[in-house]
Amino acid sequence: APPVKTLRYILPAAEASFDPALGRDLYTGHITEAIFETLYTYDYLARPVKLASETAAALPEVSADGKTYLIRLKPGVHFTPDPAFGGKPRELTVADYVYSWKRLFDPRLASPNSWLLEGKVVGLDALAEQAKQTGRFDYDAPVPGLEQIDRYTLRIHLTHSDFSLGMILAYEPMAAVAREVVEKYGDSKGEVAGHPVGTGVYKLGQWIRGSRIVLEENTGHRAESWNFEPSAEDRADDERIIRQMQGKKIPQIGRIEISIQVEDQSRWLSFTSGEADLFWLDGPLAPKGLADGKLRPELAARGIQLSRIVDPVLTYYYWNMRDPVVGGFGKEKIALRRAIAMAHDVDEEIRLVLNGEARRLEFPIPPGVEGHDPDYQGLLRYDPALANQLLDRYGYKKGADGWRTLPDGKPLLIHYTSRNEAAGVLMAELWRKTYTRLGIRMENQRMIFSDIQQAELLCKLQTRTYQWMADYPDGDNFMQLFYGRNINQNNNGCYQDPQFDQWYEASHAMPPGPQRDALYRKMARLLEVQAAAMPAYSRYRSMLAQPAVLGYKKHPILHQEWKYIDIERKD
Amino acid sequence: MTAVVHAGSPGLWLLAWRRLRADRVAMVSLAVVSAFLLMLVLSASGLIVADWEAEVGVSYAPPGFVGATPASSETAVPAAPAQALPENPFDPLADDIRALRAQLAPAAAGAVEMYGVADPLADDMAQLRGATATAGAGSLATAAGSGAATHAGAARRPTLPFGGDKWGHDVIKKTIKGGETSIVVGLVAALLAVSLGTLFGALSGYWGGVVDDCFNWFYSIFTAIPSVLMILAVAAVLQQKGVLTIVLILGLTGWTGPYRLIRAEYIKHKSREYVLAADAIGVSHWSKMFTHIFPNVSHVALVQMSILVVGFIKAEVILSFLGFGVPVGVVSWGSMLNEAQNELILGRWWQLSAAAIAMALLVTAFSLFTDALRDALDPKVK
Amino acid sequence: MMSAHPLDNPLLEINNLRIAFRSGRRATVDAVKGVSFQVPRNATVALVGESGSGKSVSSLAVMGLLPADSAIIDPVSRILFDGRDLLALSAAERRALCGKEIAMIFQEPMSSLNPVFTVGAQIAEVLRLHMGMSAAQARRRTLELLDEVGIPDPETRIDAYPSQMSGGQQQRVMIAMAIACEPRLLIADEPTTALDVTIQKQILELIARLQKRHAMAVLFITHDLGLVSEIADHVIVMRHGEVREAGPARAVLDQPQDGYTKALLHCRPSLDARPWHLPVIADYLAGVEPQRYAGGDIAEGQGVTPLHPLERQRGSGPDDEPLLVVSNLSKSFYQREGWFGRREFQAVKDVSFTLARGKTLGVVGESGSGKTTVGLTLLRLHQASGGSALFDGRDLLAMSAREFQAYKRRIQIIFQNPYASLNPRFTVGQILMEPMRIHRIGAGERERVALAHQLLEKVGLPASAFQRYPHEFSGGQRQRIAIARCLAMKPEILVCDESVSALDVSVQAQVLNLLQDLQDEFGLSYIFISHDLSVVKYIADQVMVMHQGAVVEMADSDQLYRDPRHPYTRALLAAIPRHG
Amino acid sequence: MLAYIVRRLWQMLPTMLGVVLLVFVLFNWVGGDPAYILAGKMANAESIANIRHQLGVDQSYPVQLWIFIKQIASFDFGLSWATGEPVSHIIATRLGPSMTVLLPLTLLETLLGIALALAVAFVRGSLTDRAVMIACTVGMSVSILVYIIVFQYGLAYQLGWFPVQGWGESFWENLLRYATLPILIGLAVSIAPTLRLYRSFVLDEVGQDYVRTARAKGLSERRVMWVHVLRNAAIPIITHVMANLPALLIGAFLLERFFGIPGIGREVILAVERSDFPVIKAITVYVAAATMVFNLLTDLMYQAVDPRVQLT
Ligand code: HEM
Ligand SMILES: Nc1ncnc2c1ncn2[C@@H]1O[C@H](COP(=O)(O)OP(=O)(O)OP(=O)(O)O)[C@@H](O)[C@H]1O
Ligand SMILES: Nc1ncnc2c1ncn2[C@@H]1O[C@H](COP(=O)(O)OP(=O)(O)OP(=O)(O)O)[C@@H](O)[C@H]1O
Ligand SMILES: [Mg+2]
Ligand SMILES: [Mg+2]
């Protein structure tokens, strides 16, 4: 047999639970995505991204009102052999999906992903409610909204129109796990953290926790071959990839060796000394690999390849609308927030804090996501002089010490919260410059993540830089960040405006299209004039690949593309 | 140090001082330490490096003796145009803004499509923009940038004497300012730790019995828990981040060393004949503890203090690494080293070197001085 | 001053030995300033002199053990051992001599033995090194040696660690180690000062015996001339790094030529006489020789301290006024043992005595017999386990702490070690004024300062002492400061715990004279603790002999010395070295 | 002897109780609330309450404390909140890598420290002595962070003498390949203070009378130092080594992070970042217990080395 091709990869943080239902970080997502399969996935090359089938036979058949989805499964998909199945492969059926989705609502498991289906499927919430009362989830109770027509066919009945369910079904937590496995290996919560058994292209091989994860090819995986169309956006590059890969068996790489390296320096030195084949070039290291967004010549000369995309992530600043100092809809409060927004130099932030690794974004939906408007012009432009005048006008007078006070003469002090790590410090330093520019005193509160999350949920933070990464590439996933009913959930700015909520609810029921986009623009503008939040930028994702890597192109939504690529070492 | 020598009891301290004087290494170290302290006083009183936050150079300006790097937009901030623009001298994108503004000015907000959303501040903005367009330049330039941090008008320099950091701060000034924080943290935290340790050690060693058991209990708990965890735990309790917090973290976790030594000294001394003699003439317990015994063990406290100062200056680096460093707007050697962590692989060695060298210099001098001090104060050597 | 009789073929010959120590960067201090003497083969030479006179330094120079980094031996110096100049030898040659040809015994047996090796291993080490013995041979020889120096049960003691042996035994081990290779020269540097008189006697006899048996030369270093007469053939007297007098022992002891030698011989109180005042060295060195009188020393005051022509009378009488009546005083210490148990150790057992006003009670006994404990317990520095101490009819031991505070003024103690009892961080002024402040003696600060100066004058210290620190004074002066501190409170009873034991004979005489003067002047009562029987005989009216915590005998001092009843007292008295 | 050990173990109880209380109070009460992390990015009050319930942190403090104590008594700390891995497994698997670095490091440091200390003490007072001591002081004054960054960059990357980082499966591979540079850095950082300390221990002994006796016996200087002096200096050295070991377990977290060593120190920092209390509590309790046991061991070793020590 030919030698097994091996790809070496680096993750910057330790993995967590390998149970997809409990997936909450994208590093672990890399692994679970390789081991488990969802019904749908995304086309490797298509841009903007396009849904494709994974274990489903075809894309879902959606009714005109967007309330019924008919899903057909590919026959002959098998879970990898495991003692839980008597050591044999076990065929995947729609019951496995139904079971996996029900799991999200099991109170014992306390999955952080239940929101994906919450309030959507007819009868599922009632079952969840009942489980909450009894403390036990009845997996055998039928859910009217999840109609299993046969082993391979499922019809989903939704409570209200939703045209993005297909994308949700492509999201990692919706992957199929086998009930036998959960029952055999589940811990007291019913979590299978360390024994992943899926239908995916890879299965877990050797594993040293927190240090090294090896994935091996699932040789029993259904036969697939590489066959993709070039995208319109970068056709030339895609054609090169197609030349390299077309017709090959999936996967080409039989073994993925992942090492976990926390420190930037270690990671970079590892990659450049050839100990890794694919490398996620994140912020602090960007200048080492890139100059002006392009691969540095010395790296290019070594044949290193760069794949750079804009991540579907929105970074924005919010001010807590319920805060007595910065919050509220009064004109003087709006003026304060707008002045702050106008005094903040986003370009400097991109340049210095992110090392140029982000693209300025004025619209709250990032590029690559359904609903993004590339032509939208922001209102909150950098203009500190104007900002100062605005403050003067609204009575934020400067005291003897040079610092401004509130219009009622009380001291004005802003608490900017950031995380307890290097990036948080940088961010705070930049914001301090902004506030100093306005003559406003700022203090930086640095907290650990859980404390921030807690304060945020309770609407106790004053202001902060927040990032939202698309769970699925639809604008709804971003606009819900400002929806009034999501306060105490993830509307961290605690923004609630009846007009906005009304528009949001209307947009929620629309299929993607110009009509919904128009509504989104209004919503974006409303956010701006009230200065409840200010969109700032989307990060670039720059991936470096060693010369031996073939067919590599970073996908905006998929965590990794291992099964689509090949590697040909010269030696 | 000299103040202490003369203030206390001239006899023995003077003797120690003479012995120190004879030690050349000690005197050189003392000179270095004094120089640092002088720098600390000057920078704390704002006589020097008050403007360390001024962004005088381009981002990561290399040291003057190395020479400027060929400009590439990721390091070099485009210097403000020579004829400072009246509209907005801070703006790196001044040209675009000017173009945009020229386009916007006539109809104020009208140029931006509002999609039917009403702007509550539309009138204000229009008026202010109008005023801006007509008013002279100067008034606006001064209206902005009140906090004095930004060093705007002047062009940023491509090189700085010992390089610049991310923001373009002068690394030398930053190092001096950082030294101020680090040394103050070291000194105050050591003072706190030694005071606590001495007080507890004195009570424990002198009284013995239940008091001793009690303090020993605390001591064994504090030493049984690894210091890193202890630091993280104390840091978690003291939610507020600030220099005071660092001092408290270090002080509250660092008292065990002095405690152990001082307690041992008190146990030794309390049965010494001079203490018995004091007892025989009717001296009170308090006076025995602090006027009789303490001066005799104070050298231990002093040496501990200087050892801890060194230790704490180093510990601050690790605290910074763990995210419990100084707050924003304050700089310390720890925060500099931590910031510079990733700069070395980017080929920007100057901030790392500046902080590391300054720290090494002070710490070396302090340690050598401590060694000499310990010898000078050691009763055995008399 | 060279020896009067140069020997033909001495074993060791020291010629013009000059040794200096570095102090500071360039300064040096001369410790030995041109010393010359000889040690004949197969004889015992005593090297005598007060503390710091250069005895040890000279002997260490012979061994080549001076600290290399600070000691400088002048190149003119010669140390000839059997004709070879030791100073010209290489380090290896020197080592080959040390332990084999020349061996040394040190003053402190405990600290001179390595605590973590068995005594057997330490002795065997020399044998294996110099005699090339196998382990088994060395062990056999070690057993013989231990037996020879009188260690009981050598078979088991050979595997004991030094800490498991008594001081006397440790010193015997040291001696065994020194004679292991049958050296030709044995240097014994104050081998008995750390030991009790009874043990001291045994050790001296042992050395004398070994010297005969092995035909060694012995250089015996001591500061006590009293010892010399018992063992030495020749005597060399040193002072301030110079030899003052040298010669055959008889001659030097009977007809001392040098003033200093004379002083050494006479400053020590003798058992036979009790002069009104003891002579001090200054008397002799001033060149005025006090006349010998009835076995004691008296001198006509010719510009020097006038000496009283009479002997003192000591003893108790029926009309003595009892001041302190102690009955059945006991003190136990407890040690943890086993799980919960504690072991009781009775340091003082049922001690009863009466102290009369204006009189001195001497307390003698070997080390550890409970003398200090009695004193400390009376002052409540230890809590008594039983018994009573009636002072003016009130029981000191039963009072509350508050009541006792007032009595602290009336009963005081001078500690065994004067230096340790003075707070080194206080000036003499602070030391003297602190008790005055506590007990509100003197109306104001100014008056107290005046009082303190008076006290200094009384104990014979200059007024400048007020500003100085204890470490700036000599041992005798420190003892005076301690006395002055007690006097500040004008106590009625003064406990003197080994007040003179740590002092050189000359200083000892000064302090004893001072104590005597104060008693004469203020009518103080002393409890005078000492292990030195001559001193006690000199100063005490009554003597109490303690042994293992109990009083074995109590009598008027003259009576006790004349007619000791208890066998232990007899043993003690027999051990006192006598000369003359 | 046995009675002594039993009594000492018995005496550890109050200290352990104190440790438990302190850990409990600090981390349970004032630390962050892990439910907010576990709830994910769409957390709401209800789901948080549910998670708190599942974790048992909604119970009253006394009950939680009782559970904690039961966990300690049964050596079962349950599952990590962040990864679902049994805590006992975490400790068992992370200990090996930590030890692979720490034991050789401690061994080398001690041996090298002793050898150098004796050598330096032999030439005490000389120019060499002073120069070495000053060099040590300079070496000590550089932050470990700088050592790691510079050594990794210079030795591993630029010169390629060592792998930049990593960890394998076989013990020998780890020890000889991956642990070498971390050990070297650890050595570079610790040898200077160790040497200074040991030198002072040795010098304390060199001044003792028994050394003079040994010389008087005509022993060679080497034997005096290596046999007589060392055996006595061993006592403080043992104390130092033993007291340092448990703390080092966690203190080496910087090395572990930079070199990708899956050890205990890194795990603790990670657990703190994730508010993973079961892991924090377990590691703290184990390290505290180890510290106390090591103290006991130290005392037992004293007796072996020094006959004067009587354990009662
Ligand atoms: C190398 C990849 C990553 C980079 C460069 C990165 C960078 C950042 C940055 C710059 C922020 C903003 C910091 C702040 O707001 O304080 C952030 C926030 C965040 N990161 Fe990441 N991140 C990465 C991977 C991850 C992963 C894998 C997770 C999953 C656990 C994650 C979870 C978060 C979360 C939840 C936030 C938002 C918390 C917040 O608002 O601060 N990040 N990330
Ligand atoms: N290592 C040393 N460094 C400096 N001075 C020293 C040293 N050893 C001895 N001296 C000095 O040398 C002089 C003679 O000391 P030596 O030890 O010989 O006295 P000694 O006659 O043996 O006295 P003692 O009876 O107290 O033992 C003293 O003044 C002492 O201070
Ligand atoms: N604090 C104490 N704890 C335990 N035992 C003690 C204590 N103080 C003294 N002892 C013991 O009590 C006994 C008597 O001691 P004490 O000091 O009274 O003897 P001494 O006659 O003064 O001896 P020396 O002549 O050596 O001064 C000794 O065996 C000693 O070990
Ligand atoms: Mg001597
Ligand atoms: Mg005594």
Side-chain angles (χ1 to χ4, degrees), chain C residues 371-373 416 497-498 529:
Chain C
K371 307 181 297 290
T372 300
T373 308
Q416 191 153 356
D497 187 0
E498 311 263 14
I529 299 172

Side-chain angles (χ1 to χ4, degrees), chain A residues 53 167 321 346 402 482 492:
Chain A
S53 55
M167 294 176 178
M321 294 299 281
V346 181
F482 311 102
N492 292 329

Side-chain angles (χ1 to χ4, degrees), chain B residues 8-13 15 21-24 272-274 276-284 287 291-293 295-296 298-299 377 382, chain C residues 25-26 376 379-381 405 408-409 411-413 415-418 420-426 431 434-435 438-439 469 471-472 485 489:
Chain B
S9 33
L12 286 175
W13 292 114
L15 211 69
R21 281 270 297 278
D23 186 342
R24 203 174 315 159
R272 284 270 168 93
E273 288 179 348
Y274 76 88
L276 291 183
D279 196 358
I281 61 175
V283 173
S284 71
S287 168
T291 50
H292 280 261
I293 304 182
N296 284 291
S298 55
H299 63 279
L377 290 175
K382 261 164 212 158
Chain C
R25 195 162 324 130
R26 280 196 193 81
L376 294 180
L379 271 103
R380 304 210 345 178
L381 296 173
Q405 182 75 6
K408 282 187 174 167
R409 211 187 133 161
I411 174 163
Q412 272 301 318
I413 182 165
F415 288 91
Q416 191 153 356
N417 182 348
S421 75
L422 300 174
N423 191 333
R425 297 291 201 253
F426 276 30
I431 290 172
E434 188 181 31
I438 291 169
H439 295 284
Y469 285 86
H471 70 91
E472 298 173 62
R485 172 173 58 190
M489 285 174 281

